[in-house]
Amino acid sequence: RRLREVGEQCARVAARWGLVEEACAAMPTTLVHGEFQPKNVYLRPGEAGPTLLPIDWEYVSWSVPGLDLGTFLRKGYTEAELTAYSAASGWDAAPLRWWIFVGCALPALFAVQWASKDLSLTFPEEALRNLPLYGADLERAVQQVEDGARRA
């Protein structure tokens, strides 16, 4: 039952995946951390203000900035934070929300992929328990990409 549910979720996502590809094509490519989240960021005080020090670079890649935006801001952000990010990066603030949604979809896709690999193990119970949750996260994130595309 759970595998069928995840398969249905993935089919719904696949039907709208072109929107994620479209959003990624509209983004510049840049160096991304790959796991940019509060546990991997330190703030160092300084005379000119705090300095952001990301650590744990094992997933670094050349990709779209939405990947880091989505992992760091998936739980919420303020307009001031979005404006500050826009000013610091030089990127227009208008598409940043859409980029964040895409950045939420990509890690959700990775989670489904990683959990699926565990299905071939002798004891796949954890993968079977988590796959529907990851599939629901992926479907929700792609729905947000779709909603963002309508607003853009």
Side-chain angles (χ1 to χ4, degrees):
R1 174 181 160 266
R2 288 181 179 168
L3 285 177
R4 182 178 13 257
E5 181 181 328
V6 171
E8 291 167 358
Q9 289 166 333
C10 288
R12 288 189 296 270
V13 165
R16 300 186 315 248
W17 195 252
L19 292 169
V20 175
E21 291 175 348
E22 179 186 331
C24 288
M27 287 185 227
T29 53
T30 188
L31 185 70
V32 296
H33 184 276
E35 196 182 14
F36 196 61
Q37 54 185 313
K39 75 174 188 168
N40 289 331
V41 178
Y42 291 103
L43 288 176
R44 180 173 55 195
E47 289 182 27
T51 302
L52 192 69
L53 298 170
I55 63 166
D56 195 9
W57 288 85
E58 68 187 87
Y59 297 112
V60 68
S61 65
W62 190 253
S63 188
V64 294
L67 183 59
D68 280 347
L69 283 169
T71 55
F72 200 73
L73 301 175
R74 71 179 175 264
K75 299 211 188 307
Y77 52 88
T78 66
E79 286 301 314
E81 291 167 325
L82 212 53
T83 301
Y85 185 86
S86 174
S89 67
W91 293 321
D92 184 31
L96 288 180
R97 280 183 195 80
W98 198 24
W99 294 7
I100 292 167
F101 296 148
V102 171
C104 291
L106 296 174
L109 177 64
F110 300 150
V112 169
Q113 179 186 18
W114 291 327
S116 297
K117 290 179 182 182
D118 290 344
L119 292 174
S120 63
L121 299 176
T122 305
F123 303 102
E125 291 82 7
E126 187 173 345
L128 287 170
R129 183 173 46 254
N130 292 330
L131 261 173
L133 302 173
Y134 299 152
D137 287 345
L138 177 59
E139 190 171 8
R140 188 171 30 261
V142 171
Q143 180 63 51
Q144 289 177 322
V145 171
E146 186 175 44
D147 294 345
R150 277 192 232 118
R151 284 186 244 130

